[in-house]
Amino acid sequence: MSVLVFDLDGTLVSSMEDLVATLNVVMTAAGHAAIPSDEVAHMVGMGAKVLIQRGLDYNGVDWTEETVEPLFQHFLDYYAANIAVHTKPFDGVVRALEAFREDGWKLAVCTNKAERLTLPLLAELDLDKHFDAVVGGDTFDLPKPDAKPVHGAIERAGGTIAGSIMIGDSGTDINAARNAGIPVIAVDFGYTPVHVSELGSDKVISHFDELAPAVAEVIQNTA
């Protein structure tokens, strides 16, 4: 059984406004400057702790794991309480997920967002019902771009690596797919400092209405 493995932020959901708001609450509470949203867009993709580290780097602040930890906990607490103020699925996501399920695909989420944030967000947006498995950045000992969370998502969804496809928005997702030995389709409306077309995916789409034809094309090309 083949699985479509989706990244979350910047792929399934438009979450930048809430991520920016949370990061800046944490930064300003710690006495640092707020960070413009276009800068934050280049910092996401490796989980909240790395986002905070990059926010401190932006502010020219030296940090250690010990100094980051209280900011990380503040981030988790605030974000959990404000997880879907502005966040919503990208246009066409729900239609696409419903259609793929009707066609017999297994569906999984594989994100670097922590499980304690991923699961409530999917539930709040009523997306959880579409997925056979959800893997967060802390589900396994290594996050993407390691292959383990991708393989774990496929296995938990009841599928096989052969025939499965990753859908993401960043180099992290593309590298994770490559490491996992599966093809990858990239969306060009996500969060990455380099345009996703330059990162070596098998196909790039600009809307979820384009995903089904892209999946068919990737299957044909890898047959």
Side-chain angles (χ1 to χ4, degrees):
M1 183 69 70
S2 300
V3 182
L4 294 180
V5 183
F6 293 86
D7 175 51
L8 183 58
D9 296 283
T11 300
L12 287 172
V13 301
S14 174
S15 55
M16 187 54 63
E17 284 185 79
D18 287 329
L19 289 171
V20 171
T22 302
L23 179 62
N24 283 331
V25 163
V26 172
M27 287 291 117
T28 56
H32 309 309
I35 304 169
S37 58
D38 58 342
E39 295 290 340
V40 179
H42 300 162
M43 299 176 182
V44 300
M46 290 299 293
K49 185 168 287 187
V50 174
L51 176 59
I52 291 165
Q53 293 167 353
R54 290 171 176 173
L56 293 172
D57 288 340
Y58 178 87
N59 271 286
V61 178
D62 292 330
W63 53 266
T64 65
E65 287 295 327
E66 290 74 22
T67 60
V68 166
E69 187 61 29
L71 305 186
F72 177 55
Q73 293 305 319
H74 186 191
F75 186 102
L76 294 179
D77 292 342
Y78 184 89
Y79 188 60
N82 299 274
I83 201 159
V85 176
H86 301 288
T87 297
K88 60 184 179 180
F90 285 109
D91 188 41
V93 163
V94 173
R95 286 194 307 273
L97 296 177
E98 290 173 344
F100 281 117
R101 288 192 71 88
E102 288 173 5
D103 287 344
W105 284 87
K106 295 284 189 178
L107 306 179
V109 170
C110 183
T111 175
N112 279 346
K113 188 190 290 291
E115 272 193 26
R116 65 170 279 194
L117 301 175
T118 299
L119 298 173
L121 177 58
L122 290 170
E124 180 72 20
L125 298 177
D126 198 28
L127 292 176
D128 52 344
K129 63 186 179 185
H130 298 291
F131 294 102
D132 302 287
V134 177
V135 168
D138 54 354
T139 304
F140 297 99
D141 56 345
L142 291 171
K144 297 179 296 184
D146 194 83
K148 187 178 290 187
V150 179
H151 288 165
I154 293 169
E155 181 180 346
R156 291 183 176 202
T160 59
I161 295 171
S164 294
I165 301 171
M166 180 89 194
I167 298 96
D169 71 307
S170 70
T172 300
D173 301 316
I174 293 168
N175 291 334
R178 296 297 180 225
N179 291 335
I182 63 173
V184 56
I185 296 167
V187 302
D188 68 2
F189 43 77
Y191 313 138
T192 175
V194 178
H195 194 276
V196 76
S197 62
E198 300 178 27
L199 299 178
S201 64
D202 295 283
K203 184 75 177 177
V204 176
I205 63 171
S206 299
H207 192 283
F208 261 81
D209 289 351
E210 301 170 14
L211 183 55
V215 166
E217 182 179 332
V218 167
I219 291 171
Q220 183 176 6
N221 291 339
T222 56

